[in-house]
Amino acid sequence: MATKFGYAAKAEIDVTATKEYVVSEITVNGVSPVLIVCPAIMTNLKYTNAVLKSQQTKVGRKNTKVKAETMAEMTENDKLLYPKHIIKGWRDVTDADGKIVAFTCEDCVDFISQLPVHVFENVREFCTNTATWSEDIDIEVAVKK
């Protein structure tokens, strides 16, 4: 069905798009690691399904309340899911000896697990913020008189 507002759909975020995120809180030999990430939003179905699957055992518990511990669990869960579904690559990531490390999911899990919570939260904020991924749309419409 045609709609008067079909142009709005052009604002949909491409979940296959990637952007670079500089982990500016970390510098090794004057260089900060760069993560190549995709959107961590609801329409990224692989990521969303993985989050839901990991939460299934928690759903249905009696008296389930969100506590600080619950939020910490969610952060730790995302530290496992981001390397699998959100982080697509990296550059300038070094090991403890200062050698460049090629991207693998396994090494990414190790790297992300070592990030302090506030650093990982900044990565999450970048990936979940729709403003990071949306393009401003300026559509010209011909006005009929």
Side-chain angles (χ1 to χ4, degrees), residues 18-141:
T18 59
K19 291 196 177 193
E20 293 186 351
Y21 178 80
V22 178
V23 186
S24 58
E25 300 88 347
I26 299 171
T27 304
V28 178
N29 298 326
V31 179
S32 292
V34 176
L35 303 177
I36 300 163
V37 297
C38 70
I41 59 175
M42 187 175 66
T43 54
N44 181 335
L45 298 180
K46 288 182 181 180
Y47 171 69
T48 300
N49 285 330
V51 170
L52 292 172
K53 184 176 180 180
S54 69
Q55 296 300 312
Q56 279 180 341
T57 57
K58 295 173 179 75
V59 175
R61 285 185 189 168
K62 289 185 179 183
N63 300 320
T64 301
K65 295 180 182 177
V66 177
K67 303 178 273 192
E69 293 82 12
T70 306
M71 294 182 72
E73 282 179 19
M74 292 169 64
T75 296
E76 290 306 311
N77 189 50
D78 264 352
K79 282 186 170 188
L80 296 173
L81 295 178
Y82 267 55
K84 295 176 185 171
H85 301 288
I86 302 302
I87 302 170
K88 302 300 182 184
W90 64 27
R91 65 181 166 77
D92 300 328
V93 175
T94 58
D95 63 14
D97 296 324
K99 294 180 183 176
I100 294 291
V101 177
F103 179 83
T104 66
C105 188
E106 183 180 324
D107 283 337
C108 188
V109 168
D110 191 19
F111 177 75
I112 294 299
S113 72
Q114 297 305 307
L115 293 179
V117 172
H118 74 280
V119 176
F120 182 67
E121 287 300 322
N122 290 338
V123 174
R124 277 173 56 175
E125 172 60 28
F126 181 83
C127 295
T128 60
N129 189 340
T130 55
T132 299
W133 306 101
S134 61
E135 304 283 330
D136 290 334
I137 299 177
D138 186 10
I139 300 170
E140 292 186 27
V141 180

